[in-house]
Structures are given as structure tokens and as C-alpha cells.
Amino acid sequence: SAVISQKPSRDICQRGTSLTIQCQVDSQVTMMFWYRQQPGQSLTLIATANQGSEATYESGFVIDKFPISRPNLTFSTLTVSNMSPEDSSIYLCSTVFGQENTGELFFGEGSRLTVL
Amino acid sequence: LAKTTQPISMDSYEGQEVNITCSHNNIATNDYITWYQQFPSQGPRFIIQGYKTKVTNEVASLFIPADRKSSTLSLPRVSLSDTAVYYCLVGASGGYQKVTFGTGTKLQVIP
């Protein structure tokens, strides 16, 4: 299993600013993911954070808006750039442990961003 | 990616058994079925996983018919603390294949 810590847990941000969310895993992991959960909605995968290479973004998400770093096997950051009120969401970091087909996803507690 | 369909919401009284069904008509041969639970202000957490027939653990049972086109999560004797959103996922649990979270089922347990 894994313990995943995210910082900040919540923040209130001004329109046009950027915020970086940190994700720390207590052991080395191959895969790290970033999800967004808008109010009252399900989770949407933003990107897969790859160690040593650029992140792989899902449709509708771009690197300029959501730059991601993965400097090592235990840490990743997600930046939400040039924020607007539509970016108000919970951002969740996750990783997986287990076999290729049966791995279990572990999530951090999430970072709740409110953009004014 | 196999798409899943679940009821949007369900209500249940305390002490009752709750069954939440998920449809996944396009499930692939090597896909597993995994259920997650999410409480407000928390990330989802793993409940149970199965491939076929029945799986049981300390918190739930998972029933999967032979055609695997649906699955049913069974929560025995729910309590107020089981009020949460329950997600059915099909595929690898995000590790080496993409998975998609569906709408989930919001379970409200009533005293």
C-alpha cells in the first residue's frame, strides 16, 4: 500500500494566478496520476506523470495549463496556471500498487482549490 | 475503454443490505472489475475487485455473472458511515492501462 500526502489541502486563489500542488508518496512508485474532481462530479484524469520524461495528458488537458513535474519516483507536482473560477475543483494525486491488471489505486486526500 | 453505467443515487435504511449494480457491456477479456468508495473531502479508496463469480471480503461482496457484462456490489447491513459515493471501474486499476471513473452511485443511508 501507499501513503500519499498532498499540499496544500486547500487554498483560495485569485483569478489569473498560478498554484502548484505537491504530491509525496512514501515509497517509490512507477505510475503517478493527477485527477480533477469538479464540484459534485466524478473524477477526470488529467495526466500521467512520467519520471524522467514529459507527462502524458488526456484529451482536453494541455501542458501549458497544467504543467507537471516528476523529478523522482516518490514526488510529483501539478501546477494550475492562469486560474479562472472554472478551475475551482479538487485535484487528486494517485498511484497504483499491484499487478498489471489488478493493481489498486491509492489516492491522496486531495487539494481543494477555490478561484475567486 | 469499457464504459460503466450505474444508478446516480440510492437511499437505504440502516441495517439493510444494499446492492449497487454496474453495467459494463464492453468489458474486455482481461479486464477486472473494481469498486471504490469516496467520502466527502477524501480521495476514493479501494473496496473490492473481482474477475468472475463471487468475491467477498470484510466489507463487501462482489457478484459477477458468467457473461461479465454487469456486476453487483453488495454491502451487508449498512450503517450511516456507509453514506458515500461508490464507483465501479473496469480495466486495470489505473496502473498500466487507463481507467475511467463513471458517474458513481451516491448512497445515502437513512437512520
Side-chain angles (χ1 to χ4, degrees), chain B residues 3-62:
Chain B
K3 182 180 176 180
T4 60
T5 303
Q6 306 172 230
I8 297 295
S9 64
M10 295 179 70
D11 292 338
S12 176
Y13 288 102
E14 272 190 298
Q16 289 189 331
E17 178 184 76
V18 171
N19 295 308
I20 306 174
T21 297
C22 178
S23 297
H24 28 80
N25 292 317
N26 297 322
I27 189 169
T29 302
N30 61 348
D31 284 343
Y32 279 71
I33 300 156
T34 312
W35 286 78
Y36 286 82
Q37 174 190 55
Q38 186 180 26
F39 297 114
S41 301
Q42 295 186 22
R45 69 172 189 173
F46 175 92
I47 302 175
I48 196 166
Q49 185 180 76
Y51 184 81
K52 61 181 179 181
T53 63
K54 177 183 175 182
V55 179
T56 297
N57 62 21
E58 63 275 9
V59 297
S61 294
L62 179 59

Short mmCIF file of all heavy atoms in Angstrom, two decimals, chain B residues 3-62:
data_model
loop_
_atom_site.label_atom_id
_atom_site.label_comp_id
_atom_site.label_asym_id
_atom_site.label_seq_id
_atom_site.Cartn_x
_atom_site.Cartn_y
_atom_site.Cartn_z
N LYS B 3 -17.03 1.28 -20.85
CA LYS B 3 -17.80 2.29 -20.15
C LYS B 3 -18.70 1.62 -19.13
O LYS B 3 -19.21 0.52 -19.37
CB LYS B 3 -18.64 3.09 -21.14
CG LYS B 3 -19.46 4.20 -20.52
CD LYS B 3 -20.25 4.94 -21.57
CE LYS B 3 -21.14 5.99 -20.94
NZ LYS B 3 -21.93 6.73 -21.95
N THR B 4 -18.91 2.29 -18.02
CA THR B 4 -19.76 1.73 -16.97
C THR B 4 -20.98 2.60 -16.77
O THR B 4 -20.92 3.82 -16.94
CB THR B 4 -18.99 1.61 -15.66
OG1 THR B 4 -18.54 2.91 -15.25
CG2 THR B 4 -17.78 0.70 -15.80
N THR B 5 -22.07 1.97 -16.38
CA THR B 5 -23.31 2.67 -16.09
C THR B 5 -23.81 2.22 -14.73
O THR B 5 -23.95 1.02 -14.48
CB THR B 5 -24.38 2.38 -17.16
OG1 THR B 5 -23.86 2.75 -18.44
CG2 THR B 5 -25.64 3.18 -16.88
N GLN B 6 -24.07 3.20 -13.86
CA GLN B 6 -24.57 2.92 -12.52
C GLN B 6 -25.74 3.84 -12.23
O GLN B 6 -25.85 4.91 -12.83
CB GLN B 6 -23.51 3.23 -11.45
CG GLN B 6 -22.18 2.60 -11.59
CD GLN B 6 -21.20 3.14 -10.58
OE1 GLN B 6 -20.09 3.53 -10.94
NE2 GLN B 6 -21.55 3.15 -9.31
N PRO B 7 -26.57 3.47 -11.26
CA PRO B 7 -27.60 4.41 -10.82
C PRO B 7 -26.94 5.63 -10.19
O PRO B 7 -25.91 5.53 -9.54
CB PRO B 7 -28.41 3.61 -9.79
CG PRO B 7 -27.54 2.49 -9.39
CD PRO B 7 -26.66 2.18 -10.55
N ILE B 8 -27.54 6.78 -10.39
CA ILE B 8 -26.97 8.03 -9.88
C ILE B 8 -27.00 8.07 -8.36
O ILE B 8 -26.06 8.51 -7.71
CB ILE B 8 -27.70 9.24 -10.46
CG1 ILE B 8 -27.53 9.29 -11.97
CG2 ILE B 8 -27.20 10.53 -9.83
CD1 ILE B 8 -26.12 9.52 -12.42
N SER B 9 -28.10 7.58 -7.80
CA SER B 9 -28.24 7.65 -6.35
C SER B 9 -29.13 6.52 -5.84
O SER B 9 -29.92 5.95 -6.59
CB SER B 9 -28.83 9.00 -5.92
OG SER B 9 -30.14 9.14 -6.43
N MET B 10 -28.95 6.22 -4.55
CA MET B 10 -29.77 5.22 -3.87
C MET B 10 -29.92 5.64 -2.42
O MET B 10 -29.00 6.23 -1.84
CB MET B 10 -29.10 3.84 -3.90
CG MET B 10 -28.95 3.23 -5.26
SD MET B 10 -28.12 1.63 -5.17
CE MET B 10 -29.37 0.64 -4.38
N ASP B 11 -31.05 5.31 -1.84
CA ASP B 11 -31.28 5.52 -0.42
C ASP B 11 -31.50 4.16 0.23
O ASP B 11 -32.09 3.26 -0.37
CB ASP B 11 -32.51 6.39 -0.17
CG ASP B 11 -32.30 7.83 -0.62
OD1 ASP B 11 -31.13 8.24 -0.73
OD2 ASP B 11 -33.31 8.51 -0.88
N SER B 12 -31.06 4.03 1.46
CA SER B 12 -31.27 2.80 2.20
C SER B 12 -31.36 3.11 3.68
O SER B 12 -30.72 4.05 4.16
CB SER B 12 -30.13 1.81 1.96
OG SER B 12 -30.29 0.64 2.74
N TYR B 13 -32.13 2.30 4.40
CA TYR B 13 -32.19 2.44 5.84
C TYR B 13 -31.04 1.69 6.48
O TYR B 13 -30.53 0.69 5.94
CB TYR B 13 -33.53 1.93 6.38
CG TYR B 13 -34.68 2.85 6.05
CD1 TYR B 13 -35.56 2.54 5.01
CD2 TYR B 13 -34.89 4.03 6.75
CE1 TYR B 13 -36.61 3.38 4.70
CE2 TYR B 13 -35.94 4.88 6.45
CZ TYR B 13 -36.79 4.55 5.42
OH TYR B 13 -37.81 5.40 5.11
N GLU B 14 -30.67 2.17 7.64
CA GLU B 14 -29.63 1.48 8.41
C GLU B 14 -29.99 0.03 8.62
O GLU B 14 -31.15 -0.31 8.86
CB GLU B 14 -29.48 2.14 9.78
CG GLU B 14 -28.51 3.27 9.82
CD GLU B 14 -28.23 3.70 11.25
OE1 GLU B 14 -29.17 4.14 11.94
OE2 GLU B 14 -27.07 3.57 11.68
N GLY B 15 -29.00 -0.85 8.56
CA GLY B 15 -29.23 -2.26 8.84
C GLY B 15 -29.64 -3.08 7.64
O GLY B 15 -29.61 -4.31 7.69
N GLN B 16 -29.99 -2.42 6.55
CA GLN B 16 -30.39 -3.16 5.37
C GLN B 16 -29.19 -3.53 4.52
O GLN B 16 -28.11 -2.95 4.63
CB GLN B 16 -31.37 -2.32 4.53
CG GLN B 16 -32.73 -2.14 5.15
CD GLN B 16 -33.72 -1.50 4.20
OE1 GLN B 16 -33.33 -0.72 3.33
NE2 GLN B 16 -35.00 -1.82 4.35
N GLU B 17 -29.40 -4.52 3.66
CA GLU B 17 -28.39 -4.87 2.67
C GLU B 17 -28.61 -3.99 1.44
O GLU B 17 -29.74 -3.79 1.00
CB GLU B 17 -28.51 -6.34 2.28
CG GLU B 17 -27.51 -6.77 1.20
CD GLU B 17 -27.73 -8.21 0.77
OE1 GLU B 17 -28.70 -8.47 0.02
OE2 GLU B 17 -26.94 -9.07 1.17
N VAL B 18 -27.53 -3.47 0.91
CA VAL B 18 -27.61 -2.61 -0.27
C VAL B 18 -26.89 -3.28 -1.43
O VAL B 18 -25.75 -3.75 -1.29
CB VAL B 18 -26.98 -1.23 0.01
CG1 VAL B 18 -26.88 -0.42 -1.28
CG2 VAL B 18 -27.80 -0.47 1.04
N ASN B 19 -27.54 -3.31 -2.57
CA ASN B 19 -26.95 -3.86 -3.78
C ASN B 19 -26.88 -2.77 -4.85
O ASN B 19 -27.89 -2.19 -5.21
CB ASN B 19 -27.77 -5.04 -4.31
CG ASN B 19 -27.76 -6.20 -3.34
OD1 ASN B 19 -26.70 -6.64 -2.91
ND2 ASN B 19 -28.94 -6.68 -2.98
N ILE B 20 -25.70 -2.50 -5.33
CA ILE B 20 -25.50 -1.50 -6.38
C ILE B 20 -25.00 -2.22 -7.62
O ILE B 20 -23.96 -2.88 -7.59
CB ILE B 20 -24.47 -0.42 -5.96
CG1 ILE B 20 -24.86 0.20 -4.62
CG2 ILE B 20 -24.37 0.64 -7.05
CD1 ILE B 20 -23.82 1.16 -4.08
N THR B 21 -25.74 -2.07 -8.70
CA THR B 21 -25.39 -2.77 -9.93
C THR B 21 -24.71 -1.83 -10.92
O THR B 21 -25.07 -0.67 -11.03
CB THR B 21 -26.65 -3.38 -10.57
OG1 THR B 21 -27.19 -4.36 -9.67
CG2 THR B 21 -26.30 -4.07 -11.88
N CYS B 22 -23.74 -2.37 -11.61
CA CYS B 22 -22.98 -1.63 -12.61
C CYS B 22 -23.03 -2.40 -13.92
O CYS B 22 -22.81 -3.62 -13.94
CB CYS B 22 -21.54 -1.48 -12.13
SG CYS B 22 -20.45 -0.63 -13.28
N SER B 23 -23.33 -1.71 -15.00
CA SER B 23 -23.34 -2.34 -16.33
C SER B 23 -22.05 -2.00 -17.05
O SER B 23 -21.63 -0.83 -17.05
CB SER B 23 -24.54 -1.85 -17.14
OG SER B 23 -25.75 -2.24 -16.54
N HIS B 24 -21.46 -3.00 -17.67
CA HIS B 24 -20.22 -2.79 -18.44
C HIS B 24 -20.24 -3.75 -19.62
O HIS B 24 -19.52 -4.77 -19.65
CB HIS B 24 -18.96 -2.96 -17.60
CG HIS B 24 -19.12 -3.90 -16.42
ND1 HIS B 24 -19.06 -5.27 -16.54
CD2 HIS B 24 -19.32 -3.63 -15.11
CE1 HIS B 24 -19.21 -5.81 -15.36
NE2 HIS B 24 -19.38 -4.85 -14.46
N ASN B 25 -21.06 -3.43 -20.60
CA ASN B 25 -21.30 -4.33 -21.73
C ASN B 25 -20.07 -4.59 -22.58
O ASN B 25 -19.98 -5.61 -23.26
CB ASN B 25 -22.43 -3.77 -22.61
CG ASN B 25 -23.76 -3.80 -21.90
OD1 ASN B 25 -24.10 -4.78 -21.26
ND2 ASN B 25 -24.52 -2.73 -22.02
N ASN B 26 -19.14 -3.64 -22.61
CA ASN B 26 -17.97 -3.78 -23.49
C ASN B 26 -16.73 -4.23 -22.75
O ASN B 26 -15.61 -3.96 -23.20
CB ASN B 26 -17.71 -2.45 -24.20
CG ASN B 26 -18.85 -2.04 -25.10
OD1 ASN B 26 -19.47 -2.88 -25.75
ND2 ASN B 26 -19.16 -0.76 -25.12
N ILE B 27 -16.90 -4.93 -21.67
CA ILE B 27 -15.76 -5.38 -20.88
C ILE B 27 -14.88 -6.31 -21.72
O ILE B 27 -15.36 -7.15 -22.46
CB ILE B 27 -16.22 -6.06 -19.59
CG1 ILE B 27 -15.05 -6.33 -18.67
CG2 ILE B 27 -17.03 -7.32 -19.88
CD1 ILE B 27 -15.46 -6.75 -17.26
N ALA B 28 -13.56 -6.11 -21.60
CA ALA B 28 -12.62 -6.93 -22.36
C ALA B 28 -12.23 -8.17 -21.56
O ALA B 28 -12.40 -8.22 -20.34
CB ALA B 28 -11.38 -6.11 -22.71
N THR B 29 -11.68 -9.12 -22.26
CA THR B 29 -11.36 -10.42 -21.66
C THR B 29 -10.44 -10.29 -20.45
O THR B 29 -10.62 -10.99 -19.46
CB THR B 29 -10.70 -11.33 -22.70
OG1 THR B 29 -11.59 -11.49 -23.80
CG2 THR B 29 -10.38 -12.69 -22.11
N ASN B 30 -9.47 -9.39 -20.51
CA ASN B 30 -8.51 -9.29 -19.42
C ASN B 30 -8.84 -8.18 -18.42
O ASN B 30 -8.01 -7.83 -17.59
CB ASN B 30 -7.10 -9.11 -19.96
CG ASN B 30 -6.98 -7.83 -20.78
OD1 ASN B 30 -7.98 -7.22 -21.12
ND2 ASN B 30 -5.76 -7.44 -21.09
N ASP B 31 -10.02 -7.61 -18.53
CA ASP B 31 -10.43 -6.54 -17.60
C ASP B 31 -10.89 -7.12 -16.27
O ASP B 31 -11.62 -8.12 -16.24
CB ASP B 31 -11.56 -5.71 -18.19
CG ASP B 31 -11.09 -4.74 -19.26
OD1 ASP B 31 -9.87 -4.47 -19.32
OD2 ASP B 31 -11.95 -4.25 -20.01
N TYR B 32 -10.51 -6.46 -15.20
CA TYR B 32 -11.05 -6.74 -13.89
C TYR B 32 -12.08 -5.67 -13.54
O TYR B 32 -12.11 -4.59 -14.13
CB TYR B 32 -9.93 -6.75 -12.84
CG TYR B 32 -9.17 -8.05 -12.79
CD1 TYR B 32 -8.30 -8.39 -13.83
CD2 TYR B 32 -9.33 -8.93 -11.73
CE1 TYR B 32 -7.61 -9.59 -13.79
CE2 TYR B 32 -8.64 -10.12 -11.70
CZ TYR B 32 -7.78 -10.45 -12.73
OH TYR B 32 -7.10 -11.63 -12.70
N ILE B 33 -12.90 -5.96 -12.56
CA ILE B 33 -13.93 -5.04 -12.10
C ILE B 33 -13.57 -4.63 -10.68
O ILE B 33 -13.35 -5.48 -9.82
CB ILE B 33 -15.32 -5.71 -12.11
CG1 ILE B 33 -15.66 -6.16 -13.54
CG2 ILE B 33 -16.38 -4.76 -11.57
CD1 ILE B 33 -16.66 -7.29 -13.59
N THR B 34 -13.49 -3.33 -10.48
CA THR B 34 -13.04 -2.81 -9.19
C THR B 34 -14.03 -1.76 -8.70
O THR B 34 -14.52 -0.94 -9.49
CB THR B 34 -11.64 -2.17 -9.32
OG1 THR B 34 -10.77 -3.06 -10.02
CG2 THR B 34 -11.05 -1.89 -7.95
N TRP B 35 -14.30 -1.77 -7.44
CA TRP B 35 -15.20 -0.78 -6.83
C TRP B 35 -14.41 0.07 -5.82
O TRP B 35 -13.60 -0.45 -5.04
CB TRP B 35 -16.36 -1.47 -6.12
CG TRP B 35 -17.38 -2.02 -7.06
CD1 TRP B 35 -17.29 -3.18 -7.78
CD2 TRP B 35 -18.64 -1.45 -7.38
NE1 TRP B 35 -18.42 -3.36 -8.54
CE2 TRP B 35 -19.28 -2.31 -8.31
CE3 TRP B 35 -19.33 -0.30 -6.98
CZ2 TRP B 35 -20.54 -2.06 -8.83
CZ3 TRP B 35 -20.59 -0.05 -7.51
CH2 TRP B 35 -21.18 -0.92 -8.42
N TYR B 36 -14.71 1.37 -5.88
CA TYR B 36 -14.10 2.32 -4.96
C TYR B 36 -15.21 3.07 -4.21
O TYR B 36 -16.32 3.25 -4.70
CB TYR B 36 -13.23 3.33 -5.71
CG TYR B 36 -11.92 2.75 -6.20
CD1 TYR B 36 -11.88 2.02 -7.38
CD2 TYR B 36 -10.75 2.93 -5.48
CE1 TYR B 36 -10.68 1.48 -7.84
CE2 TYR B 36 -9.55 2.40 -5.93
CZ TYR B 36 -9.52 1.67 -7.10
OH TYR B 36 -8.34 1.14 -7.54
N GLN B 37 -14.83 3.54 -3.02
CA GLN B 37 -15.75 4.29 -2.17
C GLN B 37 -15.12 5.67 -1.92
O GLN B 37 -13.90 5.76 -1.69
CB GLN B 37 -15.90 3.55 -0.84
CG GLN B 37 -16.71 4.24 0.23
CD GLN B 37 -16.56 3.51 1.56
OE1 GLN B 37 -15.46 3.29 2.04
NE2 GLN B 37 -17.68 3.10 2.14
N GLN B 38 -15.93 6.70 -2.02
CA GLN B 38 -15.41 8.04 -1.75
C GLN B 38 -16.31 8.77 -0.77
O GLN B 38 -17.49 8.99 -1.04
CB GLN B 38 -15.26 8.85 -3.03
CG GLN B 38 -14.59 10.21 -2.79
CD GLN B 38 -14.42 11.03 -4.05
OE1 GLN B 38 -15.18 10.89 -5.01
NE2 GLN B 38 -13.42 11.90 -4.06
N PHE B 39 -15.71 9.19 0.35
CA PHE B 39 -16.39 10.05 1.31
C PHE B 39 -16.12 11.50 0.94
O PHE B 39 -15.11 11.80 0.29
CB PHE B 39 -15.88 9.77 2.72
CG PHE B 39 -16.16 8.38 3.21
CD1 PHE B 39 -15.13 7.50 3.47
CD2 PHE B 39 -17.46 7.95 3.43
CE1 PHE B 39 -15.38 6.21 3.91
CE2 PHE B 39 -17.73 6.68 3.88
CZ PHE B 39 -16.68 5.80 4.12
N PRO B 40 -16.99 12.40 1.35
CA PRO B 40 -16.74 13.82 1.08
C PRO B 40 -15.38 14.27 1.60
O PRO B 40 -14.95 13.86 2.67
CB PRO B 40 -17.88 14.52 1.84
CG PRO B 40 -18.95 13.50 1.93
CD PRO B 40 -18.25 12.19 2.06
N SER B 41 -14.72 15.06 0.80
CA SER B 41 -13.42 15.64 1.16
C SER B 41 -12.32 14.60 1.31
O SER B 41 -11.32 14.85 2.00
CB SER B 41 -13.52 16.46 2.45
OG SER B 41 -14.46 17.50 2.29
N GLN B 42 -12.49 13.44 0.70
CA GLN B 42 -11.45 12.43 0.71
C GLN B 42 -11.27 11.87 -0.69
O GLN B 42 -12.17 11.94 -1.52
CB GLN B 42 -11.78 11.29 1.67
CG GLN B 42 -11.83 11.70 3.13
CD GLN B 42 -12.03 10.50 4.03
OE1 GLN B 42 -11.73 9.37 3.65
NE2 GLN B 42 -12.53 10.75 5.23
N GLY B 43 -10.11 11.29 -0.94
CA GLY B 43 -9.91 10.57 -2.18
C GLY B 43 -10.60 9.22 -2.15
O GLY B 43 -10.87 8.68 -1.07
N PRO B 44 -10.92 8.66 -3.31
CA PRO B 44 -11.54 7.33 -3.33
C PRO B 44 -10.63 6.29 -2.70
O PRO B 44 -9.40 6.42 -2.71
CB PRO B 44 -11.71 7.06 -4.83
CG PRO B 44 -11.69 8.40 -5.48
CD PRO B 44 -10.76 9.23 -4.65
N ARG B 45 -11.25 5.26 -2.15
CA ARG B 45 -10.47 4.15 -1.62
C ARG B 45 -11.04 2.83 -2.11
O ARG B 45 -12.25 2.68 -2.31
CB ARG B 45 -10.42 4.18 -0.10
CG ARG B 45 -11.71 3.89 0.59
CD ARG B 45 -11.50 3.74 2.09
NE ARG B 45 -12.71 3.26 2.73
CZ ARG B 45 -12.78 2.92 4.01
NH1 ARG B 45 -11.73 2.99 4.77
NH2 ARG B 45 -13.92 2.47 4.51
N PHE B 46 -10.16 1.90 -2.32
CA PHE B 46 -10.47 0.58 -2.85
C PHE B 46 -11.40 -0.17 -1.91
O PHE B 46 -11.22 -0.17 -0.69
CB PHE B 46 -9.16 -0.19 -3.02
CG PHE B 46 -9.31 -1.62 -3.45
CD1 PHE B 46 -9.27 -1.96 -4.78
CD2 PHE B 46 -9.43 -2.63 -2.51
CE1 PHE B 46 -9.37 -3.28 -5.18
CE2 PHE B 46 -9.53 -3.96 -2.88
CZ PHE B 46 -9.50 -4.28 -4.22
N ILE B 47 -12.45 -0.82 -2.48
CA ILE B 47 -13.31 -1.67 -1.67
C ILE B 47 -13.07 -3.13 -2.02
O ILE B 47 -12.80 -3.96 -1.16
CB ILE B 47 -14.81 -1.38 -1.91
CG1 ILE B 47 -15.17 0.07 -1.61
CG2 ILE B 47 -15.66 -2.30 -1.06
CD1 ILE B 47 -16.61 0.38 -1.96
N ILE B 48 -13.23 -3.46 -3.30
CA ILE B 48 -13.21 -4.86 -3.69
C ILE B 48 -12.94 -4.97 -5.18
O ILE B 48 -13.21 -4.03 -5.94
CB ILE B 48 -14.55 -5.53 -3.32
CG1 ILE B 48 -14.44 -7.06 -3.34
CG2 ILE B 48 -15.68 -5.05 -4.23
CD1 ILE B 48 -15.63 -7.76 -2.65
N GLN B 49 -12.41 -6.09 -5.59
CA GLN B 49 -12.10 -6.34 -7.00
C GLN B 49 -12.40 -7.79 -7.34
O GLN B 49 -12.19 -8.68 -6.50
CB GLN B 49 -10.64 -6.03 -7.29
CG GLN B 49 -10.22 -6.15 -8.74
CD GLN B 49 -8.75 -5.82 -8.92
OE1 GLN B 49 -7.88 -6.63 -8.59
NE2 GLN B 49 -8.46 -4.64 -9.42
N GLY B 50 -12.85 -8.01 -8.57
CA GLY B 50 -13.11 -9.37 -9.00
C GLY B 50 -13.01 -9.52 -10.49
O GLY B 50 -13.02 -8.53 -11.24
N TYR B 51 -12.95 -10.78 -10.92
CA TYR B 51 -12.92 -11.08 -12.35
C TYR B 51 -14.18 -11.82 -12.78
O TYR B 51 -14.78 -11.51 -13.81
CB TYR B 51 -11.69 -11.91 -12.70
CG TYR B 51 -11.55 -12.18 -14.17
CD1 TYR B 51 -11.01 -11.22 -15.02
CD2 TYR B 51 -11.99 -13.39 -14.73
CE1 TYR B 51 -10.89 -11.46 -16.38
CE2 TYR B 51 -11.88 -13.62 -16.09
CZ TYR B 51 -11.33 -12.65 -16.91
OH TYR B 51 -11.23 -12.88 -18.26
N LYS B 52 -14.58 -12.80 -11.99
CA LYS B 52 -15.80 -13.53 -12.28
C LYS B 52 -16.35 -14.14 -11.01
O LYS B 52 -15.68 -14.13 -9.96
CB LYS B 52 -15.57 -14.61 -13.33
CG LYS B 52 -14.58 -15.67 -12.92
CD LYS B 52 -14.41 -16.68 -14.02
CE LYS B 52 -13.37 -17.75 -13.63
NZ LYS B 52 -13.18 -18.75 -14.71
N THR B 53 -17.56 -14.63 -11.08
CA THR B 53 -18.31 -15.26 -9.99
C THR B 53 -18.44 -14.34 -8.79
O THR B 53 -18.95 -13.24 -8.92
CB THR B 53 -17.70 -16.62 -9.60
OG1 THR B 53 -16.38 -16.44 -9.09
CG2 THR B 53 -17.65 -17.54 -10.80
N LYS B 54 -17.99 -14.77 -7.63
CA LYS B 54 -18.23 -14.00 -6.41
C LYS B 54 -16.95 -13.80 -5.64
O LYS B 54 -16.12 -14.71 -5.53
CB LYS B 54 -19.25 -14.74 -5.54
CG LYS B 54 -19.52 -14.07 -4.20
CD LYS B 54 -20.48 -14.91 -3.37
CE LYS B 54 -20.66 -14.31 -1.97
NZ LYS B 54 -21.56 -15.13 -1.13
N VAL B 55 -16.80 -12.60 -5.14
CA VAL B 55 -15.67 -12.27 -4.28
C VAL B 55 -16.22 -11.65 -3.01
O VAL B 55 -17.16 -10.84 -3.08
CB VAL B 55 -14.70 -11.28 -4.96
CG1 VAL B 55 -13.55 -10.93 -4.04
CG2 VAL B 55 -14.20 -11.83 -6.29
N THR B 56 -15.68 -12.01 -1.89
CA THR B 56 -16.13 -11.45 -0.62
C THR B 56 -14.93 -11.05 0.21
O THR B 56 -13.93 -11.77 0.27
CB THR B 56 -16.98 -12.47 0.15
OG1 THR B 56 -18.15 -12.77 -0.61
CG2 THR B 56 -17.42 -11.91 1.50
N ASN B 57 -15.02 -9.88 0.84
CA ASN B 57 -14.02 -9.50 1.83
C ASN B 57 -14.73 -9.01 3.08
O ASN B 57 -15.95 -9.20 3.23
CB ASN B 57 -13.03 -8.48 1.25
CG ASN B 57 -13.67 -7.18 0.84
OD1 ASN B 57 -14.76 -6.83 1.31
ND2 ASN B 57 -13.00 -6.47 -0.05
N GLU B 58 -14.02 -8.35 3.95
CA GLU B 58 -14.59 -7.98 5.24
C GLU B 58 -15.62 -6.86 5.14
O GLU B 58 -16.36 -6.62 6.09
CB GLU B 58 -13.47 -7.59 6.21
CG GLU B 58 -12.67 -6.38 5.79
CD GLU B 58 -11.54 -6.71 4.83
OE1 GLU B 58 -11.47 -7.86 4.34
OE2 GLU B 58 -10.72 -5.81 4.58
N VAL B 59 -15.68 -6.18 4.03
CA VAL B 59 -16.61 -5.05 3.94
C VAL B 59 -17.70 -5.25 2.90
O VAL B 59 -18.75 -4.60 2.98
CB VAL B 59 -15.87 -3.73 3.65
CG1 VAL B 59 -14.93 -3.40 4.78
CG2 VAL B 59 -15.15 -3.76 2.32
N ALA B 60 -17.48 -6.08 1.90
CA ALA B 60 -18.45 -6.18 0.81
C ALA B 60 -18.32 -7.50 0.07
O ALA B 60 -17.36 -8.25 0.27
CB ALA B 60 -18.23 -5.02 -0.18
N SER B 61 -19.32 -7.73 -0.78
CA SER B 61 -19.26 -8.85 -1.72
C SER B 61 -19.46 -8.30 -3.13
O SER B 61 -20.13 -7.28 -3.31
CB SER B 61 -20.35 -9.88 -1.42
OG SER B 61 -20.13 -10.50 -0.17
N LEU B 62 -18.88 -8.99 -4.07
CA LEU B 62 -19.00 -8.60 -5.46
C LEU B 62 -19.47 -9.81 -6.25
O LEU B 62 -18.84 -10.87 -6.21
CB LEU B 62 -17.65 -8.12 -5.99
CG LEU B 62 -17.57 -7.69 -7.45
CD1 LEU B 62 -18.55 -6.54 -7.74
CD2 LEU B 62 -16.15 -7.27 -7.80
#
